[in-house]
Amino acid sequence: MRPSGRAPDEMRALSFETNFTIHAEGSVLVSFGNTKVLVTASVEEKVPPFMRGKGEGWVTAEYSMLPRATHTRGSREAAKGKQSGRTQEIQRLIGRALRSVVDFKKLGERQIVLDCDVIQADGGTRTAAISGAWVALRLAVDGLLAKKLITEDPLPRKVAAVSCGIFEGTPVLDLDYPEDSAADADANFVLIEGGHIAEVQATAEGATYDEESLLRLLRLARIGCERIFAAQAEAVAK
Amino acid sequence: MRPSGRAPDEMRALSFETNFTIHAEGSVLVSFGNTKVLVTASVEEKVPPFMRGKGEGWVTAEYSMLPRATHTRGSREAAKGKQSGRTQEIQRLIGRALRSVVDFKKLGERQIVLDCDVIQADGGTRTAAISGAWVALRLAVDGLLAKKLITEDPLPRKVAAVSCGIFEGTPVLDLDYPEDSAADADANFVLIEGGHIAEVQATAEGATYDEESLLRLLRLARIGCERIFAAQAEAVAK
Amino acid sequence: MRPSGRAPDEMRALSFETNFTIHAEGSVLVSFGNTKVLVTASVEEKVPPFMRGKGEGWVTAEYSMLPRATHTRGSREAAKGKQSGRTQEIQRLIGRALRSVVDFKKLGERQIVLDCDVIQADGGTRTAAISGAWVALRLAVDGLLAKKLITEDPLPRKVAAVSCGIFEGTPVLDLDYPEDSAADADANFVLIEGGHIAEVQATAEGATYDEESLLRLLRLARIGCERIFAAQAEAVAK
Amino acid sequence: MRPSGRAPDEMRALSFETNFTIHAEGSVLVSFGNTKVLVTASVEEKVPPFMRGKGEGWVTAEYSMLPRATHTRGSREAAKGKQSGRTQEIQRLIGRALRSVVDFKKLGERQIVLDCDVIQADGGTRTAAISGAWVALRLAVDGLLAKKLITEDPLPRKVAAVSCGIFEGTPVLDLDYPEDSAADADANFVLIEGGHIAEVQATAEGATYDEESLLRLLRLARIGCERIFAAQAEAVAK
Amino acid sequence: MRPSGRAPDEMRALSFETNFTIHAEGSVLVSFGNTKVLVTASVEEKVPPFMRGKGEGWVTAEYSMLPRATHTRGSREAAKGKQSGRTQEIQRLIGRALRSVVDFKKLGERQIVLDCDVIQADGGTRTAAISGAWVALRLAVDGLLAKKLITEDPLPRKVAAVSCGIFEGTPVLDLDYPEDSAADADANFVLIEGGHIAEVQATAEGATYDEESLLRLLRLARIGCERIFAAQAEAVAK
Amino acid sequence: MRPSGRAPDEMRALSFETNFTIHAEGSVLVSFGNTKVLVTASVEEKVPPFMRGKGEGWVTAEYSMLPRATHTRGSREAAKGKQSGRTQEIQRLIGRALRSVVDFKKLGERQIVLDCDVIQADGGTRTAAISGAWVALRLAVDGLLAKKLITEDPLPRKVAAVSCGIFEGTPVLDLDYPEDSAADADANFVLIEGGHIAEVQATAEGATYDEESLLRLLRLARIGCERIFAAQAEAVAK
């Protein structure tokens, strides 16, 4: 029995509140239950030094958690003067995930920065961030197409992510914080619409796991990502 | 004529959305028009080193702007590895403003941290933050009183802040971004319910100003803060 | 009765020792009683990035306190690896104050950096720094005029600053350290020769204050700045 | 055909040169072909703050690459003043991998730090580091047992890691640099002696991948880790 | 012929202006010609962690140059966020030099911090700092003796330092900036009253040097330090 | 009697293992007894900003110690976020030492970076680093000559370094750690093949020393460096 009463393959309530802020080219407040992440997509008409002069674009991500997004206040990274290893690991993951579905030639020599700021945390902030980042990126790309700054869609497929884990011996989908902090294994899957995989990160926490468990977690992730793809489609159709 | 069409002594739409997040002891999303700041109050059962062993409490504040709260994306302070002078100046101001209305003996040896994170900026973020911080602090203090962790109210009076400025020769109340960026003088007033002043910061931008102008700005600030006090009262009464 | 025995509107002994060091284009040791600040003005034939190509100049300031300028040794900011919020706030104030009297078009595309290093502190270091910075800037500008690098004076008016405060219920001028550390309110005024105001920063410390007190402090500041303007004039006339 | 001429399931020459340095409690130079990592295990009779007073031990890892371990010189992280996100991500992975096989109660309240310094890089430095770290840790634990500081073996099973990837359409084992930089997918597997999995990190690089590929990479990893387990056993038996 | 017209074994005008500032336990403005260094000695009734509980004292030094102490403005280390290698090297040298003449048992478990801030630079700032630091330390120690906080003099001998170098083929004493920047070899000698040596740092700049030259530079240093010892004695006798 | 049983003028076993790593243009593992330093020389076809456009080259050095090179683990400078004063002092010394034997005009506008990483420490790491750096630099220069990127040898003479000290009253050559930590004086000599001196750093530790001792230490250093020159010659002849 899950603490939330959910079935093993049941996700939390999912929502994408688009245009949550007014300045960004794309903006969404994504909620996976009580986990809420504000993602903005900022279009910049230049690329990082290593990409200059290739006529291709780039997508990168930054991630942060507000100090009191969690049960107890965490210290502010800007005040400490450095980003934690966890933060850097997560923002690298988000960037890779989104880049896996972008055609950089079609994007042209510009960069889109995806800022993922966790307003409230209850497990799964990185997977909510990836799923929301696709929506913000889609909105920003739609803006570029509408303004005819680009002529071909550089974002032909969706990407989504969800966490799964083994909680009290049972593989479950979309861990919330009580499950996440007690799970024996914790896996994040980044899946592409159509069935392909962009990234698997499956980590033993309390106990190591076997191949069968890995496959069962992947199957749950497929169920979850199908739901996310549907919600993403609905959000950007509005 | 103000860009927004407001009268010189007219504030923007004002709202305090309390309990915006679930983990903090006090939480509010304050809006002054399009300026939106999330303020959380976190109660910590310890005080900073310089206050230890006095049996008295402390209140401090931190301030940050999400990278895309503004028209163009600003770089993230956590990524740059330091807080700007502007950020430090603002968070020091917020802390002083709130401390001016707290009775630290009645608060007991605990600290309340006020995190002010600007979700969207359109001028006046520091004054919105101060006005919202009072609401978050009030909610946190109410929680301490309800749990009987303290027995006397350490927050007997309200504090609010508003910006005023001289825009195209006319003193106006509650500057939005188009006014703020073109004003000849920009003043922030932190006022206490009942008429006293906690802080005045009045800065010449395009042109220096005279004493008469300073007094006219102060009068506008009084009008604005009365409106804020009323809205604060309503917000915490809910 | 003031600890120093001064009358409420009496400033401390004031001196500007010009050409205190030999390398800088302008240099002065300013003393407000026991507060001693070395200010140098350095002319650089380039401007910061945000000013480039406009044909206009810029003035900026840096502030620091020697570790043992005070009663007990403070740690060195260079050793700690960052400037405190207080330091940044003060140097931003000094820069704004001086920029309020400079005509950047007449200065031409060059920058003047004002380094304010507190040799000895006894209250009022930031206001002494501003008042001294005008002298150093004047000397540097005179050098540019003498070398015919500029043809019109970009510094037509003086700027000075002084602190005032409410000490044991009485508004007093030019706080020294014993007054500053016990004052109920502490205000810094940056005034322009001729009567205009460049900046007011009036902060409640022990108790909030009313409008009447603010005006009395401003009146004291006018008395003090008149004395400073006279001493500045004498210093640069030498 | 692989650039090195190896068969798809063929590892590079593998060696563990134990006691490579004299001061550390455990020390090994691990080579996976031209990838050479020096791993030292340092026993410290204290644990980090979050583990104090529990009577349990801790294992952590740090990772670094010498500036000229690679084809072109990389800048030194100590000189830049911060560790890259890549470095932090890798050292967190190494720490988790080793902790998955340690019984902290049996280790007692002490910490073992695993320093992994890459002397020469040719792909797979993180997996070589994990495989070598087990050897260094084993040697350090043997020393504790020999000195009777602990009485029960806290390290009952081996852990090893290997990278696999899809190179020109073919799943291959133990990527070297030419393969790693051109692979479509790059996966690191951390496996436990006996068949269990501690971590999978499988990332799409040039192209996303399907479930069948993931399973084939896992099968290759099992082949590789069996070879590593054998070599580890031989190394510590000496 | 030296640029200054001095004889090869002639020092610049030397002065020690004691009690230059009022707060420090010892304070002196030392001048070697146009090189002016403010040295303060701060007595702290605690020692650094590595000295605690031994009943012995410690002496340490910090060094900094004001940004415009030199011909062109150098950037401020506090603003850059780190001390240069040169600064650290110099402050380590000053600390070692002074510690070589202190009896830490007689000083008792307290630390004296010597802050050396270069107000104006014209070559030889580190040797002026060492020579001045002895005076500041002597004054601070005299204060401890006067207050009977210590009963035996922990500073029985003087230490002084001077730079020598080979300028246009001739060994010369007390290099000023024009000599220093053109010298073939640059040597700093830290000598103890009575003839012993605390430190020699002799560095080839334009050309390497031979043993005979080293000895001739040492002989010049002895001449210079005798003059400094006399001036130190006179300064502290006042 | 020396702890190692060596005669006062006897060096430790000396070896230069060239081409220790494969990527660098020059690479050597230098051993002075148990002190082992890996030095790589990296040729970069650009020079630092202050050397640009002069048609001349540059040589610089970086130094680091692996955390467990020593008896007890030291914290990693990259993790602490800054290099210690000791590290900076040593790498500046290494750079100066090597630059004293390079003809920068003949090297052409390119930089050679010498990375000195201490694998194992037992006293004398900086002198081993200098002696090894010459070998790595020689190999890199030989490569440039072989590829005809330069036509004249920019490295006509050898440089070597050795530490000497006064241990229990006796001047001894090539201090190991037990001697170094107990020596009364510790001197590092950087000598040029042929007899000239590049640098002397002779520091009193437990007791100050006299001129006679300095000369005796220099004589020992000459003996040591002759042996090093011979070993360097043999190493690069291979």
Side-chain angles (χ1 to χ4, degrees), chain A residues 11-27:
Chain A
M11 286 198 71
R12 293 177 283 181
L14 191 64
S15 81
F16 294 95
E17 210 173 320
T18 52
N19 304 318
F20 190 76
T21 62
I22 56 173
H23 298 307
E25 284 72 29
S27 152

Side-chain angles (χ1 to χ4, degrees), chain C residues 154-167:
Chain C
L155 192 60
R157 282 190 309 279
K158 293 187 189 68
V159 65
V162 74
S163 75
C164 303
I166 301 172
F167 176 71

Side-chain angles (χ1 to χ4, degrees), chain C residues 21-25 38 40 42 62 64 66-71 73 76-78 81 83 113 115 117 119-121, chain E residues 21-25 38 40 42 62 64 66-71 73 76-78 81 83 113 115 117 120-121:
Chain C
T21 62
I22 56 175
H23 298 308
E25 284 72 29
L38 172 57
T40 57
S42 297
E62 294 196 2
S64 184
L66 295 197
R68 195 56 197 281
T70 45
H71 287 83
R73 184 176 183 275
R76 194 176 285 272
E77 291 187 329
Q83 295 179 301
V113 183
D115 283 293
D117 287 90
I119 301 296
Q120 190 171 280
Chain E
T21 61
I22 56 174
H23 298 307
E25 283 73 31
L38 171 57
T40 58
S42 297
E62 294 195 2
S64 184
L66 294 196
R68 195 56 198 277
T70 44
H71 286 82
R73 185 175 183 274
R76 194 176 284 271
E77 291 186 332
Q83 294 179 301
V113 183
D115 284 292
D117 287 273
Q120 191 172 279

Side-chain angles (χ1 to χ4, degrees), chain E:
Chain E
M1 190 64 171
R2 304 178 73 173
S4 59
R6 283 186 280 151
D9 64 351
E10 186 182 347
M11 284 198 71
R12 292 176 284 179
L14 192 63
S15 82
F16 293 95
E17 208 173 322
T18 53
N19 304 317
F20 190 77
T21 61
I22 56 174
H23 298 307
E25 283 73 31
S27 152
V28 67
L29 183 76
V30 51
S31 306
F32 277 35
N34 277 325
T35 289
K36 291 174 190 294
V37 185
L38 171 57
V39 187
T40 58
S42 297
V43 177
E44 297 178 347
E45 292 297 320
K46 64 178 174 15
V47 289
F50 66 91
M51 289 298 289
R52 276 181 205 148
K54 298 185 181 175
E56 297 184 22
W58 191 246
V59 167
T60 191
E62 294 195 2
Y63 169 94
S64 184
M65 218 182 240
L66 294 196
R68 195 56 198 277
T70 44
H71 286 82
T72 55
R73 185 175 183 274
S75 58
R76 194 176 284 271
E77 291 186 332
K80 283 193 297 183
K82 64 174 187 175
Q83 294 179 301
S84 71
R86 178 185 176 277
T87 290
Q88 292 194 60
E89 196 170 310
I90 291 175
Q91 64 194 12
R92 284 159 57 91
L93 170 65
I94 300 170
R96 281 197 307 272
L98 273 293
R99 285 193 294 273
S100 75
V101 288
V102 176
D103 181 327
F104 290 122
K105 285 208 180 64
K106 291 184 181 163
L107 181 56
E109 198 155 329
R110 57 176 58 84
Q111 175 170 252
I112 300 182
V113 183
L114 299 160
D115 284 292
C116 306
D117 287 273
V118 180
I119 301 294
Q120 191 172 279
D122 186 33
T125 63
R126 75 189 75 186
T127 51
I130 291 169
S131 302
W134 183 84
V135 172
L137 182 59
R138 179 73 263 171
L139 294 174
V141 164
D142 285 348
L144 290 171
L145 287 165
K147 288 187 213 156
K148 300 200 189 303
L149 286 164
I150 56 177
T151 52
E152 287 183 279
D153 186 3
L155 192 58
R157 281 188 311 278
K158 293 188 189 69
V159 65
V162 74
S163 75
C164 302
I166 301 171
F167 176 72
E168 297 186 355
T170 305
V172 296
L173 173 63
D174 187 25
L175 305 178
D176 55 24
Y177 179 77
E179 291 169 336
D180 191 30
S181 53
D184 278 338
D186 174 12
N188 293 295
F189 295 91
V190 182
L191 302 184
I192 307 294
E193 193 184 19
H196 266 224
I197 302 171
E199 182 132 356
V200 175
Q201 291 199 346
T203 304
E205 301 282 352
T208 53
Y209 58 90
D210 61 16
E211 189 170 332
E212 176 55 25
S213 298
L214 179 65
L215 291 176
R216 290 179 65 189
L217 295 176
L218 175 52
R219 240 159 278 146
L220 286 172
R222 290 198 186 284
I223 293 168
C225 285
E226 287 307 317
R227 277 224 34 215
I228 301 170
F229 291 138
Q232 287 174 328
E234 199 179 335
V236 299
K238 281 185 289 207

